[in-house]
């Protein structure tokens, strides 16, 4: 809130606060430079994490990780192939084959980039040109959906938190499991549409039931792989909702 007001005051003040504005810009540039260094080091860090995991925890953790990957991928695919198309059919009155044919370019791009934001221009194009969604609906629903609507991420974060609890031998009560699901939904709202963003907001989910945030290190090595499928479902959800909203906001035809 403070940052928001500082920003408003900077804009209102115009040239008077030029020095503070350029200081903020330079500070931002410094942060970006440091982040670039960290990103360059990340593959090595992941290699070290994975090497340590294999050397110390051996096959037990790895086979559990593989099981987790299969379960998460399976449920995410189920959500994308069964649940979402069913909702589209019921609420948007569009058959799933038409939907998948029209959106395949965006879905493949989401898979390849693991980024809803990078895919957004294509999602807009597919929705408007191939699914016949009006420009004003697509232009409103898809950008908001890209930021806020992430079914795949919510599903992943909830499953990951339960997996970590299970791995640590913690028995979560039903109430705690519901808290996990709820915070996963909220955390997915906050995740930006970039690769592995879900890993960051997942800290909130873990902490909601007292699990250590460091536990995400176990999932880091396989996250990039799982991110591909969940991003596809995130993007699919955005386009699907645009169809549903468009269907319900179209003015009824007037018969003369
Ligand atoms: N990569 C996802 C997206 O862009 C976000 C995430 O779950 O990490 O939609």
């Amino acid at each position: 809130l403070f940052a928001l007001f500082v920003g408003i005051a900077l804009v209102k003040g115009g040239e008077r606060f030029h020095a503070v504005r350029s200081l903020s810009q330079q500070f931002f540039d410094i942060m970006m430079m440091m982040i670039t260094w960290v990103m360059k080091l990340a593959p090595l860090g992941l290699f070290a994490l994975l090497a340590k995991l294999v050397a110390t925890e051996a096959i037990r953790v790895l086979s559990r990780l593989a099981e987790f990957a299969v379960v998460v991928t399976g449920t995410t695919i189920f959500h994308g192939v069964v649940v979402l198309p069913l909702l589209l059919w019921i609420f948007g009155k569009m058959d799933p084959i038409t939907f998948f044919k029209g959106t395949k370019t965006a879905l493949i791009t989401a898979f390849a980039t693991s980024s809803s934001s990078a895919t957004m221009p294509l999602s807009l194009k597919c929705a408007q040109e191939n699914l016949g969604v009006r420009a004003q609906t697509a232009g409103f629903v898809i950008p908001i959906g890209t930021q806020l609507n992430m079914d795949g991420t919510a599903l992943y974060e909830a499953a990951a938190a339960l997996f970590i609890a299970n791995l640590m031998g913690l028995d979560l009560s039903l109430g705690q499991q519901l808290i996990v699901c709820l915070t996963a939904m909220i955390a997915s709202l906050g995740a930006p549409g970039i690769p592995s963003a879900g890993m960051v907001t997942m800290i909130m989910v873990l902490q909601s039931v007292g699990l250590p945030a460091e536990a995400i290190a176990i999932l880091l090595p396989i996250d990039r792989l799982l991110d591909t499928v969940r991003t596809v479902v995130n993007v699919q959800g955005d386009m699907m909702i645009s169809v549903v909203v468009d269907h319900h906001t179209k003015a009824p035809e007037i018969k003369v």
Side-chain angles (χ1 to χ4, degrees):
L1 196 68
F2 182 70
L4 201 70
F5 282 114
V6 169
I8 294 170
L10 280 182
V11 172
K12 269 201 95 50
E15 271 313 295
R16 265 168 66 207
F17 302 135
H18 175 73
V20 180
R21 278 234 304 268
S22 63
L23 186 77
S24 310
Q25 182 60 45
Q26 287 191 359
F27 193 66
F28 175 72
D29 293 341
I30 291 174
M31 292 302 292
M32 289 311 282
M33 189 180 272
M34 293 197 303
I35 289 171
T36 313
W37 293 340
V38 173
M39 294 301 282
K40 284 200 173 129
L41 209 66
L44 279 178
L46 276 187
F47 175 80
L49 270 176
L50 192 59
K52 180 171 171 253
L53 198 72
V54 176
T56 54
E57 302 292 336
I59 301 303
R60 190 186 69 92
V61 173
L62 280 185
S63 70
R64 298 281 294 275
L65 262 182
E67 272 171 34
F68 168 71
V70 170
V71 169
V72 167
T73 311
T75 40
T76 312
I77 291 176
F78 181 81
H79 188 70
V81 174
V82 178
V83 181
L84 287 182
L86 202 67
L87 293 175
L88 175 70
W89 188 57
I90 297 172
F91 297 107
K93 303 277 178 276
M94 179 180 279
D95 85 279
I97 310 281
T98 313
F99 178 82
F100 282 117
K101 269 193 188 152
T103 57
K104 65 173 185 294
T105 329
L107 298 181
I108 293 170
T109 310
F111 184 85
T113 59
S114 290
S115 166
S116 315
S117 298
T119 313
M120 198 180 79
L122 273 176
S123 313
L124 277 168
K125 192 168 175 295
C126 289
Q128 287 174 37
E129 290 177 11
N130 305 343
L131 303 180
V133 176
R134 283 166 305 155
Q136 67 259 46
T137 314
F140 177 69
V141 175
I142 293 183
I144 293 185
T146 302
Q147 284 307 315
L148 301 181
N149 174 45
M150 292 193 181
D151 303 28
T153 303
L155 195 154
Y156 171 76
E157 291 189 359
L162 296 181
F163 167 73
I164 287 172
N166 195 265
L167 202 65
M168 295 175 69
L170 286 175
D171 205 2
L172 295 183
S173 67
L174 193 66
Q176 282 174 312
Q177 291 181 33
L178 285 177
I179 290 176
V180 165
C181 292
L182 215 71
T183 35
M185 277 198 286
I186 297 168
S188 74
L189 292 181
I194 54 171
S196 289
M199 286 309 271
V200 181
T201 53
M202 213 181 84
I203 293 175
M204 194 174 120
V205 183
L206 294 179
Q207 288 180 340
S208 70
V209 282
L211 293 169
E214 305 80 68
I216 57 168
I218 300 171
L219 298 171
L220 274 178
I222 55 164
D223 183 63
R224 200 58 185 78
L225 203 68
L226 301 180
D227 199 2
T228 52
V229 184
R230 69 175 187 256
T231 308
V232 172
V233 171
N234 290 347
V235 169
Q236 182 188 348
D238 301 337
M239 291 186 287
M240 189 203 106
I241 299 289
S242 76
V243 173
V244 173
V245 172
D246 200 55
H247 176 74
H248 287 281
T249 52
K250 260 185 192 143
E253 271 177 41
I254 301 167
K255 290 200 179 85
V256 277

